[in-house]
Amino acid sequence: MAVKGNLVVGQSGGPTAVINQSLVGVVQEARKHGLIERIFGARNGVEGVLREDFVDLGAEPDHNLEAVAQTPSAALGSCRFKPKEEDCRRIFDIFTKHNVRYFFYIGGNDSALSAGIINKIAQEANYDLVVFHVPKTIDNDLLVTDHCPGYGSAAKYVAQCFMGNDTDNRSLPGIKIDICMGRNAGWLTAASALARVCPGDGPHLIYLPERAYSLKGILEDIDASYQKNKRVLVALSEGVADSDGYLFLESDKVRAELKEMGMEAIIDGFEAQGKIEDLSGGAKKDAFGHTQLSGSGALADFLSAAVKIHLFKKYGKKARVRADTLGYAQRSMSGVVSASDAAEGREAGRAAVISAISGEQSGSICFRRLESRFGKYHCEPFRAPLEDVSGVNFPKGVKQYRPMEDKYIASSGNDVTPEFIEWVRPLVGPLPVKAVLGNMPVK
Amino acid sequence: MAVKGNLVVGQSGGPTAVINQSLVGVVQEARKHGLIERIFGARNGVEGVLREDFVDLGAEPDHNLEAVAQTPSAALGSCRFKPKEEDCRRIFDIFTKHNVRYFFYIGGNDSALSAGIINKIAQEANYDLVVFHVPKTIDNDLLVTDHCPGYGSAAKYVAQCFMGNDTDNRSLPGIKIDICMGRNAGWLTAASALARVCPGDGPHLIYLPERAYSLKGILEDIDASYQKNKRVLVALSEGVADSDGYLFLESDKVRAELKEMGMEAIIDGFEAQGKIEDLSGGAKKDAFGHTQLSGSGALADFLSAAVKIHLFKKYGKKARVRADTLGYAQRSMSGVVSASDAAEGREAGRAAVISAISGEQSGSICFRRLESRFGKYHCEPFRAPLEDVSGVNFPKGVKQYRPMEDKYIASSGNDVTPEFIEWVRPLVGPLPVKAVLGNMPVK
């Protein structure tokens, strides 16, 4: 059922360090097949399609494609745009005009959903279009697949960052809180556990969106760990929520806790933040209805304030508390790339084209681990039905993302299991050396 | 005048990625010389000396020393402790008891000052002690030297971070502000300019502690750059101050500007922060009288709020504004190390021991560039008088740190010069690939 025609590839959502590997994989594979006549890149994803803003990727020299593949973030530009039915109809008009019969969309959950919507409406409209979702996300929360391109490199950045933050915290002991990306799933935050190399190494506490927490519980955990280890390194996901599922900064329960603990000053800070939002055009929600979590240090500063006040009230002594929000470097750090992640990013783009050429009308590329021979990690790509990943036909209430499995989360709810470490290690690959002195006593 | 006796080495101040290279340099070189009998490490710098908390570095196996050398942050533990006269007298008692005749202190400006104080009081007390300061600082603000070990690796981290943040900002255009470390000097913030590879690359604006700014001026710069480039990446030092020298978050002038611009909500946020400080034991100042700047996202969030409100008021449209505080990874990221920085870190430790053994009673190790043969970078260590670096005898008002020279700062005050790029590039070494698509139009 594969037809002759042109191909459009786009990138969408938050970038990753290897999203261009997938772009280059699509282009290089597409060049091999006669069915695909020309290869267009849509700038800024679906937005570029709607603007008819295309670039000629077929004309891009190979050496530059290889350089772009090593460059983090979406080389075509990205977008956060959820197409409606009328957008799709316009897309088909534009595609007809340019004889586009292949559409490849590189992105995460929202992009899979966009691809799913376009595919569904194309089918309903009898528009003959091959639609593939090519996975990328640092969050690793796509359905079906073992893991997503983009995750391994982000996890490597987080691991190296925590390795350094842990030795830093050893040097100047205190409480250090690092906020990691991951709205719905804790995969990236959990990768911080790779920083543990020597006895006593942090992170000592890991908080994930898959579990519900109270502020008081977290403060008590930190206090107990601090008393025991004389220092604490905390990994906390930006998606951490209360037992009603509300993010800490939006939680009435957390506000009530703050009042109960005499920390109203923190609430005043929230109120000021609310006023700032009003003055700058309203709350930060994107087209998919998500609150902006990144690019702000609010959660880190809030927790740091709460820990400081809690410990001062309890012990009458100032504690050294620092908090960092790891920020955009998690998804786009230059030069910190997992080799297997880069290879799989490329492979995902190629596999999508091969699957399309072989006659599949739509799909999403996933990875599965092969039986480990001699203990060596090996994964292969496969095509999953686009609907299974995009969730386009899911009944209301069924989640379109994949949280961490229970087996990967410690029963305490504030750590990961050894199974998780085993699962994640090959995705990240070798990490830098980390060592401590023998601290031999002077005789 | 070199005497036979034991050696104590300590680490102090904020860690760097190569501070352990210097530690290992001291130990390895000291082992070669008969005059130095035993090699002790003081845990947590001078605090460990006062506690008689020593470890036997002479017994540390070579392979572990090499692993520690590659590990960021102070392996002996660090401190922020300024010794007073009575502390020094106690130090000499302890040194006498352990027959310590050599003291090496690895650190930045504060540590140089501590070494200077100990040396001065030792001389006054006729206590026979060789005192060397071994330089490390990511801030690069030590006097006399061309540059400091620790800076090259931190600059490399900042450069790679900005390379990624720049491509990220290209992918999803908007305004991105990144706050860099550097209380008094802009060397580290300035290194962000290494991220510029392709035409139009950011950072588009660079703000340094060496120049005075008004909030309004910065907002207008950002607005103008945004209108021109449709996106802006800003590098801003945590030490950015008003024309009276006050940090932005502590500036009455900035508060007045906020009022004038109808941004009182931001001031409410400051007030809340003040209350939080009170509740947690008071303002954040260390033993050297410095305000805590790092480990908090306050400056980034403040600027981001001001930019958002400013642009919304002016254009009635919400702007995509994000701000990251690059945080502790700047000084302790694992695996992002400049090769020349690591080598010079080791060299600094060795040179201090060689200088001491050759009969110098005190000193601070500096680096000078040699005449470039075939355009290749080469630096050599030399001993400077400890007083010249520690500033222990400086008259009040004379600065004990080295700001960026005027020739390295653009006359606009919001950028660096090509001379700076030429100066900094060899300290950082090769950077990862960064490329853009040719964006060839579809015919």
Side-chain angles (χ1 to χ4, degrees):
Chain A
M1 87 149 258
V3 290
K4 222 176 160 90
N6 296 330
L7 178 153
V8 163
V9 57
Q11 295 171 306
S12 162
T16 76
V18 303
I19 187 170
N20 292 332
Q21 291 284 359
S22 298
L23 174 68
V24 172
V26 167
V27 175
Q28 288 184 336
E29 189 62 37
R31 283 176 174 175
K32 296 183 192 163
H33 301 279
L35 282 175
I36 295 168
E37 297 182 306
R38 301 190 65 188
I39 306 162
F40 303 144
R43 294 180 64 164
N44 305 104
V46 169
E47 286 182 355
V49 176
L50 290 167
R51 285 197 310 263
E52 289 185 72
D53 189 357
F54 298 118
V55 298
D56 189 353
L57 291 175
E60 196 73 37
D62 252 323
H63 72 269
N64 196 49
L65 281 178
E66 286 299 343
V68 166
Q70 291 175 59
T71 305
S73 310
L76 283 171
S78 188
C79 71
R80 296 199 183 275
F81 182 86
K82 187 177 177 178
K84 293 186 202 68
E85 186 160 344
E86 62 266 29
D87 300 318
C88 291
R89 299 204 179 273
R90 181 153 160 64
I91 288 171
F92 305 145
D93 288 345
I94 292 166
F95 279 0
T96 304
K97 183 174 152 191
H98 295 278
N99 192 31
V100 174
R101 294 292 159 188
Y102 296 89
F103 179 57
F104 291 78
Y105 214 34
I106 308 168
N109 281 310
D110 293 337
S111 317
L113 177 56
S114 296
I117 292 168
I118 291 170
N119 188 51
K120 191 181 175 185
I121 297 176
Q123 305 249 40
E124 287 166 7
N126 282 317
Y127 181 79
D128 204 2
L129 186 68
V130 174
V131 179
F132 267 79
H133 166 240
V134 182
K136 75 80 217 164
T137 167
I138 62 161
D139 296 332
N140 199 48
D141 60 349
L142 283 167
L143 289 169
V144 186
T145 190
D146 175 80
H147 64 278
C148 312
Y151 172 67
S153 299
K156 183 173 179 166
Y157 176 82
V158 166
Q160 290 185 203
C161 208
F162 271 84
M163 288 172 79
N165 268 285
D166 184 53
T167 54
D168 194 305
N169 185 250
R170 258 187 203 274
S171 294
L172 288 166
I175 292 149
K176 177 75 197 298
I177 302 167
D178 284 335
I179 309 290
C180 303
M181 282 182 170
R183 183 189 304 276
N184 298 314
W187 300 102
L188 191 55
T189 307
S192 64
L194 288 171
R196 295 176 189 151
V197 178
C198 310
D201 273 2
H204 306 93
L205 294 165
I206 300 176
Y207 295 99
L208 307 161
E210 285 80 359
R211 295 287 178 266
Y213 303 101
S214 70
L215 174 60
K216 216 169 175 176
I218 290 178
L219 296 179
E220 282 168 5
D221 284 354
I222 290 175
D223 182 17
S225 180
Y226 190 46
Q227 301 312 319
K228 188 181 149 204
N229 307 305
K230 308 294 164 217
R231 69 181 189 98
V232 194
L233 178 62
V234 180
L236 192 138
S237 166
E238 64 182 5
V240 153
D242 70 17
S243 54
D244 295 332
Y246 285 100
L247 294 171
F248 264 35
L249 292 184
E250 298 174 352
S251 155
D252 288 336
K253 282 192 169 165
V254 168
R255 281 179 190 235
E257 287 187 276
L258 286 169
K259 264 187 203 156
E260 196 196 312
M261 293 188 284
M263 301 188 188
E264 284 88 350
I266 297 180
I267 300 178
D268 295 348
F270 289 175
E271 309 289 341
Q273 193 53 40
K275 272 187 254 171
I276 289 166
E277 289 310 319
D278 293 344
L279 283 169
S280 57
K284 304 168 281 192
K285 297 250 184 192
D286 70 12
F288 294 89
H290 306 314
T291 308
Q292 180 210 320
L293 297 179
S294 300
S296 147
L299 178 60
D301 286 350
F302 150 66
L303 283 169
S304 157
V307 171
K308 275 181 200 165
I309 299 175
H310 182 71
L311 293 180
F312 186 72
K313 286 197 174 205
K314 195 158 169 185
Y315 301 105
K317 272 201 316 198
K318 267 179 71 175
R320 185 175 183 276
V321 185
R322 302 287 187 271
D324 274 333
T325 306
L326 298 196
Y328 284 90
Q330 290 167 92
R331 71 185 196 191
S332 59
M333 179 73 177
S334 188
V336 179
V337 175
S338 146
S340 65
D341 190 36
E344 289 172 359
R346 182 78 64 109
E347 197 58 33
R350 295 187 58 228
V353 174
I354 291 167
S355 189
I357 289 298
S358 75
E360 298 287 355
Q361 182 274 320
S362 69
S364 173
I365 300 303
C366 297
F367 286 87
R368 68 178 144 233
R369 294 193 193 214
L370 300 181
E371 271 301 301
S372 161
R373 276 194 291 179
F374 316 115
K376 207 170 173 291
Y377 163 81
H378 191 55
C379 251
E380 69 173 9
F382 67 98
R383 174 201 161 274
L386 181 54
E387 299 70 36
D388 293 359
V389 176
S390 71
V392 71
N393 295 324
F394 284 10
K396 226 184 155 101
V398 175
K399 287 175 189 164
Q400 189 231 334
Y401 64 87
R402 175 184 167 222
M404 285 178 74
E405 283 89 354
D406 286 344
K407 66 181 174 186
Y408 293 145
I409 304 174
S411 57
S412 62
N414 59 24
D415 204 346
V416 298
T417 60
E419 288 73 19
F420 173 75
I421 303 283
E422 203 181 320
W423 175 87
V424 75
R425 201 179 288 286
L427 309 184
V428 170
L431 286 167
V433 169
K434 189 186 191 196
V436 290
L437 289 169
N439 287 332
M440 276 148 299
V442 167
K443 276 173 215 127
Chain B
M1 86 149 263
V3 291
K4 220 174 161 91
N6 296 328
L7 178 153
V8 163
V9 56
Q11 295 171 306
S12 163
T16 77
V18 303
I19 187 170
N20 292 331
Q21 291 283 359
S22 299
L23 174 68
V24 171
V26 167
V27 175
Q28 288 184 336
E29 189 61 37
R31 282 176 175 175
K32 296 182 190 163
H33 301 280
L35 281 176
I36 295 168
E37 296 182 305
R38 301 189 66 189
I39 307 162
F40 302 144
R43 294 179 65 164
N44 304 104
V46 169
E47 286 183 353
V49 175
L50 290 168
R51 285 197 309 261
E52 288 185 70
D53 189 357
F54 297 119
V55 298
D56 190 353
L57 290 174
E60 196 74 37
D62 251 323
H63 72 269
N64 196 49
L65 281 178
E66 286 298 343
V68 166
Q70 291 176 59
T71 305
S73 311
L76 284 171
S78 189
C79 71
R80 295 198 183 276
F81 183 86
K82 187 178 178 177
K84 293 187 203 66
E85 185 159 345
E86 63 264 30
D87 300 318
C88 291
R89 299 202 180 272
R90 183 154 158 65
I91 288 171
F92 305 144
D93 289 344
I94 292 167
F95 279 0
T96 304
K97 182 172 152 192
H98 295 279
N99 192 31
V100 173
R101 294 292 158 188
Y102 295 89
F103 179 56
F104 290 79
Y105 213 34
I106 308 169
N109 281 310
D110 293 337
S111 316
L113 177 57
S114 296
I117 292 169
I118 291 169
N119 187 51
K120 191 180 175 186
I121 297 176
Q123 305 249 38
E124 287 167 8
N126 283 316
Y127 181 80
D128 204 3
L129 186 68
V130 173
V131 179
F132 267 79
H133 166 241
V134 182
K136 74 81 215 165
T137 166
I138 62 161
D139 295 333
N140 198 49
D141 60 348
L142 283 167
L143 289 169
V144 186
T145 190
D146 175 79
H147 64 277
C148 312
Y151 172 67
S153 299
K156 182 172 179 167
Y157 177 82
V158 166
Q160 290 186 202
C161 209
F162 271 84
M163 288 172 79
N165 268 284
D166 184 52
T167 55
D168 195 306
N169 185 250
R170 258 188 204 274
S171 295
L172 288 166
I175 292 148
K176 177 75 198 296
I177 303 166
D178 284 333
I179 309 290
C180 304
M181 282 182 170
R183 183 189 306 275
N184 298 314
W187 300 102
L188 191 55
T189 308
S192 64
L194 288 172
R196 294 176 190 152
V197 178
C198 311
D201 273 2
H204 306 93
L205 295 164
I206 300 176
Y207 295 98
L208 307 161
E210 284 80 359
R211 295 288 178 266
Y213 303 101
S214 70
L215 175 61
K216 215 168 174 177
I218 291 179
L219 295 179
E220 283 167 5
D221 284 355
I222 291 175
D223 182 16
S225 179
Y226 190 47
Q227 301 312 317
K228 187 180 149 205
N229 306 305
K230 308 295 165 218
R231 69 182 189 98
V232 194
L233 179 63
V234 180
L236 192 137
S237 166
E238 64 182 4
V240 153
D242 69 18
S243 55
D244 295 331
Y246 285 100
L247 295 171
F248 263 35
L249 292 183
E250 298 174 354
S251 156
D252 287 337
K253 281 193 170 166
V254 167
R255 279 177 191 237
E257 288 188 276
L258 286 169
K259 263 188 204 155
E260 196 196 311
M261 294 189 284
M263 301 187 188
E264 284 88 351
I266 296 179
I267 300 178
D268 296 347
F270 289 175
E271 309 289 342
Q273 193 53 39
K275 273 189 254 172
I276 289 167
E277 289 310 319
D278 293 344
L279 282 169
S280 57
K284 303 169 281 191
K285 296 248 184 194
D286 70 12
F288 293 89
H290 307 313
T291 307
Q292 180 209 319
L293 296 179
S294 300
S296 147
L299 178 60
D301 286 350
F302 150 66
L303 283 169
S304 157
V307 171
K308 274 183 201 166
I309 299 175
H310 181 71
L311 293 180
F312 186 71
K313 286 196 174 204
K314 195 158 168 184
Y315 301 104
K317 271 202 314 199
K318 268 180 71 174
R320 185 174 183 276
V321 185
R322 303 285 187 274
D324 275 333
T325 306
L326 298 197
Y328 283 92
Q330 290 167 94
R331 71 185 197 192
S332 58
M333 179 74 177
S334 187
V336 179
V337 175
S338 147
S340 65
D341 190 36
E344 288 171 1
R346 182 78 64 107
E347 199 56 35
R350 295 188 58 229
V353 174
I354 290 167
S355 188
I357 289 299
S358 75
E360 298 287 356
Q361 183 273 320
S362 69
S364 173
I365 300 303
C366 296
F367 286 88
R368 69 180 144 232
R369 294 193 195 215
L370 300 181
E371 272 300 302
S372 161
R373 276 194 290 180
F374 316 115
K376 206 169 173 290
Y377 163 82
H378 191 55
C379 252
E380 68 173 10
F382 67 98
R383 173 201 162 275
L386 181 53
E387 299 70 35
D388 292 0
V389 177
S390 70
V392 71
N393 294 325
F394 284 8
K396 227 184 154 95
V398 175
K399 286 177 189 163
Q400 188 231 332
Y401 63 88
R402 176 184 166 222
M404 284 178 75
E405 282 89 353
D406 285 345
K407 65 180 174 186
Y408 293 146
I409 304 175
S411 57
S412 62
N414 58 25
D415 205 346
V416 298
T417 60
E419 288 73 19
F420 173 75
I421 303 283
E422 204 182 317
W423 174 88
V424 74
R425 202 180 288 286
L427 309 184
V428 170
L431 286 168
V433 169
K434 190 187 191 196
V436 291
L437 289 169
N439 288 332
M440 276 148 300
V442 167
K443 277 171 214 128

